[in-house]
Amino acid sequence: MPNDGLVVIGRVQKPFGIRGEISSQVFNETLHAFEKSEWLEIKDTKMIIEQIRIHKGSVLVLFEGIRTPEQAAAYKGQLVRTLKDNLPPKDEDEYFYFELIGLDVYTGSGQYLGKVTDVMATGANDVLTVRGDYGEILLPFIDQVVIETDLVSKRMLVDPLEGLAPDVGN
């Protein structure tokens, strides 16, 4: 991610309705960043927000200049970014998704599992997608699995539960 003061807060899912609204997956627990933003960046384009509303767990955004489902469809799958200043305050033991992406993941015995490439909100708990030499590993982001998260050194220490990761000598 370029160092331009922008952070990823969601991903465009699909067009919604006939007015050109865009349905977006939200990458944090609140809509604070969407609601505080006057504009969002999608595909390196600053897009002015006209209206935001919630529908079945997604945020629907109507942007200036987007008036048809076909125009909205051009953004499907793209990341949604905003200014870091638009993020809500967080507690010491909380993390934004963008902070976790790219962390190197190791087991307690020092075995490298790969990098965090995605974080999924599942309702019960978030799930980390880790990609490396062992392929794709899905790890629940819970205290029993994630032992330590160090944003400064960009490392995460995990203790995968039985069956969650290949036998790598935890």
Side-chain angles (χ1 to χ4, degrees):
M1 176 177 63
N3 187 12
D4 54 9
L6 298 178
V7 294
V8 175
I9 60 169
R11 182 183 307 275
V12 174
Q13 294 173 314
K14 60 184 177 180
F16 183 86
I18 60 171
R19 299 184 328 147
E21 285 180 295
I22 293 176
S23 173
S24 293
Q25 173 188 8
V26 180
F27 283 177
N28 45 357
E29 291 183 17
T30 70
L31 299 173
H32 182 90
F34 278 89
E35 294 169 338
K36 192 169 178 195
S37 301
E38 295 179 14
W39 55 267
L40 297 171
E41 183 187 270
I42 304 173
K43 286 176 76 170
D44 296 322
T45 302
K46 186 188 289 187
M47 302 174 68
I48 307 298
I49 297 171
E50 289 187 1
Q51 177 184 354
I52 292 180
R53 63 189 180 106
I54 308 309
H55 181 73
K56 296 185 179 179
S58 294
V59 61
L60 302 180
V61 184
L62 183 62
F63 290 106
E64 190 175 275
I66 306 288
R67 290 294 176 259
T68 68
E70 293 78 20
Q71 290 173 313
Y75 299 97
K76 184 176 180 177
Q78 297 296 314
L79 295 175
V80 178
R81 299 179 351 137
T82 190
L83 293 170
K84 190 173 185 176
D85 292 345
N86 291 333
L87 296 175
K90 62 178 184 165
D91 291 334
E92 187 177 312
D93 60 345
E94 290 182 320
Y95 304 97
F96 292 115
Y97 286 3
F98 76 87
E99 294 175 310
L100 301 174
I101 304 293
L103 293 183
D104 290 313
V105 180
Y106 293 87
T107 65
S109 65
Q111 182 69 41
Y112 180 69
L113 296 180
K115 287 189 180 292
V116 176
T117 59
D118 196 12
V119 184
M120 299 176 285
T122 64
N125 54 263
D126 294 337
V127 175
L128 304 170
T129 303
V130 177
R131 286 197 177 96
D133 291 344
Y134 297 101
E136 182 178 275
I137 300 170
L138 301 177
L139 298 173
F141 193 55
I142 57 176
D143 291 341
Q144 296 88 340
V145 173
V146 179
I147 307 306
E148 181 182 337
T149 303
D150 186 342
L151 298 179
V152 174
S153 67
K154 298 192 173 291
R155 291 175 55 109
M156 180 180 285
L157 180 64
V158 299
D159 183 12
L161 301 172
E162 183 84 26
L164 289 182
D167 186 14
V168 293
N170 300 333

